[in-house]
Amino acid sequence: MEYPANSDKDFDEKKLQEQLIKFTHRLHQELRPVFGDGVRACIGRGFAEQEMVIHIAMALQKFDVEKVDLNYEIQLTGQLGVKPVNFKIRVRRRAGHTLNFGITGGGTYEEEKARQTQHQMQKPQQLGINTTNEVKKPVSVLTSGNMGTSESLVQAFERSAPTFGLDLVDTEDLNTAIKNRTLPTDRSTVIIIPSYEGRLPDNAKKFAAWIEQLASKGDKLPPETKYTVFGVGNNDWTYTVHNVPKLVDQKLEKLGAERIVDAGFANVKRDLIRPWEA
């Protein structure tokens, strides 16, 4: 590599290092050898690449994937790895392909569908819910998240709500829901919120600031406000896995809202669906 030209005879070492870093970064702006190279290359590179191919293949088995913005042009960023900037995809379940599709012992689509139908019929009976009653209880769902996991739970809830005698009136993200500076009082509210390394998702920050402000002033929500919280997290972050949903649950109780069901929590690394169905 040629050193950057410099006519200053008194060029010190620190300046030289800074200029070399900028010069190298400009030359190799998109070059990031994640696994290294040569004698110090990662010995697990082959395993990692094989796992990536397997995971992509399994995802494409079950889902149709398309770009949200068809005119998107690739822009890269990252440190240890490389990822596209503001690249969004739309994912839809392939017809006839369940979550267990392609897994040995996972069963056929028909078997999985029959199992889900039986589960939906048995669960209300176990809870003593009369599903023959034509009058269903209205409920709202407020959701948030950066990764789409919460939205998938809302879709599942929308399909199963009538089975449990519930009428899903509306779904909104948490930031949008506080436009009236209050929560619904004529129906119960289900709040689905994840925790990202103990931090709030983008579309819940205004909601969190709002309830924090109410609590600091000693204000209360209307006594008819009823809610429950379902938290999503990843136990890779042991000490913060469900910090955000726990905080929201505690704040709403402090503000005088009635908790209709104890908060539920799911770990996306282990089992997302079972705690949600329970």
Side-chain angles (χ1 to χ4, degrees):
M1 177 187 296
E2 295 183 5
Y3 285 84
N6 179 64
S7 59
D8 187 356
K9 295 180 180 179
D10 300 324
F11 198 88
D12 60 38
E13 185 69 20
K14 185 177 180 181
K15 278 189 174 182
L16 176 61
Q17 291 292 338
E18 290 176 353
Q19 192 170 351
L20 281 173
I21 290 172
K22 292 178 181 178
F23 181 68
T24 306
H25 180 70
R26 189 168 63 250
L27 282 176
H28 307 287
Q29 193 169 5
E30 294 185 2
L31 177 61
R32 295 181 178 88
V34 179
F35 296 102
D37 204 354
V39 294
R40 296 188 180 276
C42 173
I43 61 174
R45 175 175 182 169
F47 294 107
E49 291 177 340
Q50 186 178 39
E51 285 190 0
M52 285 188 281
V53 171
I54 291 172
H55 279 83
I56 292 174
M58 291 179 66
L60 294 178
Q61 265 190 331
K62 302 175 177 66
F63 301 99
D64 286 318
V65 182
E66 61 182 13
K67 292 194 297 185
V68 172
D69 180 6
L70 297 179
N71 297 318
Y72 175 82
E73 294 184 3
I74 192 73
Q75 299 177 37
L76 299 178
T77 186
Q79 293 176 340
L80 292 178
V82 179
K83 59 182 180 181
V85 179
N86 294 327
F87 178 62
K88 297 182 179 181
I89 60 174
R90 184 177 290 110
V91 180
R92 294 185 179 89
R93 178 76 59 81
R94 289 181 183 270
H97 291 192
T98 68
L99 288 175
N100 292 326
F101 179 83
I103 300 175
T104 304
T108 64
Y109 172 72
E110 289 73 18
E111 291 171 342
E112 178 69 12
K113 195 70 176 177
R115 185 195 67 79
Q116 290 178 356
T117 302
Q118 185 179 15
H119 172 79
Q120 290 181 349
M121 293 177 62
Q122 290 178 347
K123 190 67 177 180
Q125 296 172 358
Q126 294 169 359
L127 297 175
I129 299 173
N130 181 11
T131 57
T132 61
N133 190 351
E134 293 183 359
V135 180
K136 300 185 183 299
K137 295 182 179 180
V139 63
S140 290
V141 175
L142 305 182
T143 184
S144 62
N146 299 339
M147 309 298 291
T149 306
S150 299
E151 286 79 359
S152 67
L153 294 178
V154 173
Q155 293 171 6
F157 183 78
E158 188 174 7
R159 291 192 298 269
S160 62
T163 307
F164 292 85
L166 300 174
D167 177 22
L168 182 56
V169 176
D170 59 1
T171 62
E172 292 183 296
D173 70 58
L174 284 166
N175 282 350
T176 305
I178 63 165
K179 56 182 178 291
N180 296 323
R181 315 304 291 175
T182 188
L183 293 176
T185 56
D186 59 342
R187 56 189 181 273
S188 300
T189 302
V190 178
I191 296 174
I192 304 174
I193 184 168
S195 181
Y196 298 114
E197 301 180 49
R199 295 193 294 268
L200 287 157
D202 294 337
N203 54 356
K205 291 179 179 178
K206 292 180 181 179
F207 175 83
W210 173 62
I211 60 174
E212 185 68 41
Q213 184 181 37
L214 290 178
S216 64
K217 291 180 178 179
D219 293 340
K220 297 288 184 181
L221 290 168
E224 298 84 7
T225 307
K226 298 180 180 180
Y227 78 98
T228 187
V229 173
F230 187 80
V232 181
N234 187 321
N235 71 339
D236 279 347
W237 294 277
T238 307
Y239 300 106
T240 61
V241 58
H242 291 125
N243 275 12
V244 170
K246 287 179 179 178
L247 177 64
V248 170
D249 184 45
Q250 293 165 4
K251 290 291 183 183
L252 289 176
E253 183 184 35
K254 184 178 179 180
L255 291 171
E258 179 185 348
R259 184 191 294 114
I260 55 174
V261 178
D262 288 340
F265 303 99
N267 177 8
V268 295
K269 189 175 181 181
R270 295 184 180 273
D271 189 353
L272 171 66
I273 303 301
R274 193 170 303 173
W276 171 250
E277 289 183 341

